[in-house]
Amino acid sequence: MTPPRARTWGRRGRTPVVRVRGRSRRRISVAALCCYKSGEKSRLIYRPRFHLPFKGARKSFAWTDYRDLLVRAHIQLGGPIVVVWDNLNTHRTAGMKKYAAEHDWLTVFQLPSYAPDLNPVESVWSLLRRGPTANTAFEDPEHLTRTLRRGLRHIQLQHQLIDGCLAGTGLTLPTPTPP
């Protein structure tokens, strides 16, 4: 709920101040997949997760949440999936490895240890931070949720933005060869 800071302006001699009410104990996590296939429009598939504010409740995605996101992507895309993941510990759990081994439609590759510059989803988060959430003091968790959904939906509809996220990594898709 703490607003991300970007550039702002103010009258000369007066420092701009953003007032924020007390921190909320509620947490929101978002996971996203940038989906690329030669000859087709790029896609962004995302899933928000709202965490309960109870003591001892999980405050991040579990491997089962990522599994459900991959199943949803498999259904939407209608074919096998090759996932290139960063080294988040949840991506490397025994349950996730076992699930990937049991399903032939899922192939998993790991990025090097710290390589956010090779992850297109990092560019999606950057677009959100510089766009709809920049200089915004959120009134409540619902305001944050609406803003995130609107920003992600905007990126989802702008295929060239998703292509730009891949281009920013320096990685390319192979061009399809005619049969």
Side-chain angles (χ1 to χ4, degrees):
M1 295 287 295
T2 304
R5 285 175 281 158
R7 290 181 153 194
T8 187
W9 63 272
R11 290 190 162 173
R12 184 175 295 174
R14 295 184 185 207
T15 303
V17 176
V18 176
R19 299 201 189 285
V20 180
R21 291 190 302 200
R23 290 183 178 256
S24 171
R25 300 179 102 220
R26 293 171 59 187
R27 292 180 60 105
I28 300 169
S29 298
V30 183
L33 297 171
C34 290
C35 305
Y36 303 99
K37 187 174 183 180
S38 294
E40 292 188 17
K41 290 182 178 179
S42 302
R43 290 187 181 185
L44 177 69
I45 299 173
Y46 65 91
R47 175 167 287 179
R49 185 170 193 285
F50 307 97
H51 305 286
L52 300 174
F54 303 124
K55 189 173 184 174
R58 187 167 180 89
K59 296 179 181 174
S60 63
F61 273 83
W63 76 268
T64 53
D65 297 317
Y66 287 107
R67 177 202 60 201
D68 295 344
L69 180 63
L70 291 173
V71 169
R72 178 61 44 201
H74 175 63
I75 292 168
Q76 284 185 24
L77 299 171
I81 296 176
V82 176
V83 179
V84 180
W85 262 339
D86 56 12
N87 280 315
L88 181 68
N89 59 358
T90 310
H91 296 164
R92 296 180 284 122
T93 61
M96 195 65 197
K97 288 179 182 179
K98 182 180 177 198
Y99 183 80
E102 292 173 351
H103 294 83
D104 58 345
W105 55 265
L106 180 61
T107 306
V108 177
F109 292 100
Q110 296 291 141
L111 286 172
S113 287
Y114 184 73
D117 51 329
L118 296 176
N119 189 348
V121 176
E122 294 296 333
S123 297
V124 171
W125 304 141
S126 177
L127 288 169
L128 278 175
R129 280 191 300 273
R130 289 182 288 126
T133 63
N135 290 332
T136 304
F138 298 104
E139 300 164 3
D140 52 26
E142 288 74 27
H143 181 210
L144 172 62
T145 303
R146 284 192 312 272
T147 304
L148 284 175
R149 285 184 186 269
R150 189 173 53 246
L152 287 167
R153 183 70 180 148
H154 173 75
I155 295 169
Q156 230 177 10
L157 296 173
Q158 302 290 324
H159 305 290
Q160 67 275 12
L161 287 177
I162 303 169
D163 290 337
C165 292
L166 180 66
T169 65
L171 305 173
T172 59
L173 288 174
T175 55
T177 56

